[in-house]
Amino acid sequence: MSPLITAVELVALSDARLTELPLVVLDVRWRLGGPPGLLDYQAAHVPGARFLNLDTALADPPGPGGRHPIPDPARLTAEFASVGVSDSSTVVVYDDADGSVAARAWWLLRWLGMPSDQVRVLDGGFSAWVADGHPTESEVPEPTRGALTARPGSMPVLDADGAASLAGTGLLLDARAPARYRGETEPVDPRAGHVPGARNAPFARHIGPEGHWRSPDDLAAYYRALGVVGGTEVGAYCGSGVTATSVVLALEHAGLRPPERPAALYAGSWSNWSADPERPVALGDEPEPA
């Protein structure tokens, strides 16, 4: 089963007669620098959707671990349970753009131990939902609290040492825009550049011109060209550990990494690496030796 779901499939899934598992739809719209996604949610959202904020619900406060550290498992479990997520739920997550923020929620649910067939990302997000003519609402639902069991660690995570090692022995993918990878600009973090040995795999290339995820075949060709082949160990990072989760999702969607063997996430990402003056930095188009 693909980690993605279309708007038409979500409509069908919303019919309780067609699913044995209770459906929870999560709205995680967010943009760097604002305005808050909550305002968009309050104006219009997928009927029945519940809102979660990336900065406060889907990350711990910024610190040594980076700008968006993985939340404390107990707190994260409580956040998901507060919007109705239970062990028996089918969860569909959406944002309003390229799916990268939705991928963060998808990844966190999987990291907590939710089976791959119970959590999916809406292809095209809220924009596709509206473009397809599906209804929206502004009413904020009051969900019944869910009963969610935490099994943290169900997705592989790298620290800085692990990322450095993987860049030399396997394949470490940098999901940021090419200019940030090359070190030409760095609008957020302390230093510009990339982890030595990492290859650039901009997350923006996951999406086609119509705003939907590219096909599995297209993504498979893209990632094979970057070196995702056979038994190569793969990890991904970005600025703060958010958009890199879309690389993990893309590799699963492409069929290159099955749910039982996902790519690893360097959770602290560049915000963690660049804050340590002892960590080397590479510049330019080439990965440079790790």
Side-chain angles (χ1 to χ4, degrees):
M1 176 185 291
S2 171
L4 302 177
I5 185 172
T6 67
V8 170
E9 290 171 331
L10 177 55
V11 170
L13 196 61
S14 298
D15 188 335
R17 294 171 299 175
L18 299 183
T19 178
E20 297 178 356
L21 301 179
L23 175 65
V24 177
V25 180
L26 298 180
D27 184 316
V28 296
R29 283 179 279 179
W30 176 87
R31 56 188 63 84
L32 184 65
L38 179 60
L39 299 179
D40 292 333
Y41 169 78
Q42 291 171 334
H45 51 262
V46 172
R50 299 88 187 260
F51 181 79
L52 284 176
N53 184 284
L54 169 65
D55 292 318
T56 58
L58 304 179
D60 268 353
R67 283 187 283 113
H68 288 112
I70 295 175
D72 171 78
R75 186 181 71 79
L76 179 62
T77 302
E79 293 281 3
F80 281 127
S82 73
V83 290
V85 178
S86 295
D87 292 336
S88 61
S89 298
T90 293
V91 183
V92 175
V93 191
Y94 70 85
D95 54 35
D96 63 353
D98 50 43
S100 60
V101 179
R104 167 72 171 210
W106 168 87
W107 187 92
L108 286 171
L109 284 163
R110 292 278 297 276
W111 178 75
L112 281 178
M114 181 161 280
S116 61
D117 60 354
Q118 286 182 227
V119 54
R120 302 172 79 184
V121 166
L122 179 61
D123 186 12
F126 187 69
S127 299
W129 180 267
V130 173
D132 287 352
H134 299 298
T136 63
E137 66 180 18
S138 58
E139 180 181 356
V140 177
E142 296 184 6
T144 300
R145 188 175 186 84
L148 184 62
T149 304
R151 296 179 294 276
S154 297
M155 296 285 271
V157 176
L158 300 171
D159 60 10
D161 287 340
S165 176
L166 185 61
T169 63
L171 181 63
L172 183 65
L173 299 173
D174 182 322
R176 296 173 302 158
R180 289 184 73 188
Y181 171 82
R182 292 191 295 263
E184 296 170 0
T185 182
E186 182 45 67
V188 186
D189 293 313
R191 293 186 291 163
H194 59 266
V195 175
R199 292 185 176 275
N200 194 204
F203 74 93
R205 296 182 187 174
H206 296 156
I207 305 301
E210 301 301 319
H212 291 275
W213 284 70
R214 290 165 60 187
S215 72
D217 287 346
D218 283 350
L219 287 173
Y222 170 60
Y223 277 108
R224 286 193 184 104
L226 286 169
V228 182
V229 293
T232 303
E233 293 300 316
V234 182
Y237 75 94
C238 55
S240 67
V242 175
T243 57
T245 59
S246 69
V247 173
V248 180
L249 189 152
L251 290 172
E252 187 170 309
H253 175 55
L256 296 179
R257 284 296 179 271
E260 59 272 16
R261 194 167 73 90
L265 175 70
Y266 174 20
S269 285
W270 189 248
S271 61
N272 170 250
W273 184 280
S274 63
D276 183 350
E278 299 299 316
R279 296 285 176 187
V281 169
L283 300 172
D285 280 318
E286 297 302 318
E288 297 188 16

